Amino acid sequence: LAYLMAADTDSITRLYSLLDDVKDLDPSIRINLKHRIKERFPDFRFLGEPEAEKVNLGLLVTRASFEAKQRDLKHLIDVEIPENSREIGEAMSKGDLRENAEYKAALEKQEMLKTAASRMQEEVQQAQIFNENEVKTDRIGFGTRARLKNVGTGLTEEYVVLGPWESDPERNVISYLSPLGAALWNHAPGEEFVYKIDEKEFRYLVEAIERAVLSGAVQ
């Protein structure tokens, strides 16, 4: 997953194609990977996938995640990149660069760090901090917790809808830019909707919507 955060769309396409050919791969891994890719690249299209309806809101983030992203960017620029520059200098001092594995590794890391810093700076500039006072619970949207009934299984599922920076699928915190987030978006209590992924269809009934906790960790 760390590779995905720095890779471009061409590299991700090749990686996913290789994994998609592994017949015995756990389906949950493939689904989680799809979610991660879609969160980073909302317009990414998988082979054979129909075009989904988009939620055009820009990049909404919570204040906590915005401040955390700023700290990460500062650490990258002030600590990691200078440290990498020192590694390159030390590797260069060891002689023949053509056979210098440390030098080549340091250069590759430099490229990855610069790409990550550029992407992070762009995201910080584009981000819009969501006003917690604007959360509405009449329909599913940013900052809401939705309780759903899986019509097929009869089980109840809960999801918190936030942005890509807050996404934590293992805790059922999903991005509004993800396929499931887009499927949930703007539905009201009592409404049913269908969510399709990996040729599987899931039907849900929205039972209730409430405010999510936006300050600090989602609970």
Side-chain angles (χ1 to χ4, degrees), residues 38-39 42 55-59 162-164 174-182:
K38 280 289 191 178
E39 284 167 3
V55 179
N56 295 313
L57 296 175
L59 177 58
L162 292 174
I174 62 173
S175 167
Y176 65 92
L177 294 175
S178 69
L180 178 55

Side-chain angles (χ1 to χ4, degrees), residues 96-156:
D96 189 353
L97 300 182
R98 292 173 299 178
E99 302 297 330
N100 193 327
E102 291 182 14
Y103 176 71
K104 293 178 181 178
L107 281 184
E108 290 177 0
K109 184 177 180 180
Q110 180 186 61
E111 186 63 28
M112 185 185 73
L113 291 173
K114 286 183 176 180
T115 300
S118 176
R119 174 181 55 78
M120 203 176 295
Q121 285 176 323
E122 184 177 350
E123 289 179 344
V124 167
Q125 291 171 354
Q126 293 176 347
Q128 302 175 48
I129 299 176
F130 183 78
N131 185 345
E132 296 185 29
N133 297 323
E134 294 181 358
V135 176
K136 298 180 180 179
T137 57
D138 56 334
R139 291 184 176 275
I140 298 173
F142 192 100
T144 61
R145 180 188 298 273
R147 188 172 76 239
L148 314 173
K149 178 181 180 181
N150 187 317
V151 177
T153 65
L155 299 176
T156 297

Side-chain angles (χ1 to χ4, degrees), residues 19-20 22-30 33:
L19 289 176
D20 205 33
V22 180
K23 296 182 180 180
D24 296 329
L25 183 66
D26 186 337
S28 64
I29 296 177
R30 184 179 286 107
L33 183 60

Side-chain angles (χ1 to χ4, degrees), residues 35-36 39 160 162-170 173-175 178:
H35 279 306
R36 295 288 185 174
E39 284 167 3
V160 172
L162 292 174
W165 290 2
E166 299 85 17
S167 176
D168 187 354
E170 292 183 359
V173 180
I174 62 173
S175 167
S178 69

Side-chain angles (χ1 to χ4, degrees), residues 15 44 51-52 55 57 65 73 83 104 150 161 165 184 200:
L15 173 62
F44 190 90
E51 187 167 1
V55 179
L57 296 175
S65 66
L73 178 58
E83 183 177 298
K104 293 178 181 178
N150 187 317
V161 180
W165 290 2
L184 283 168
K200 293 183 180 180

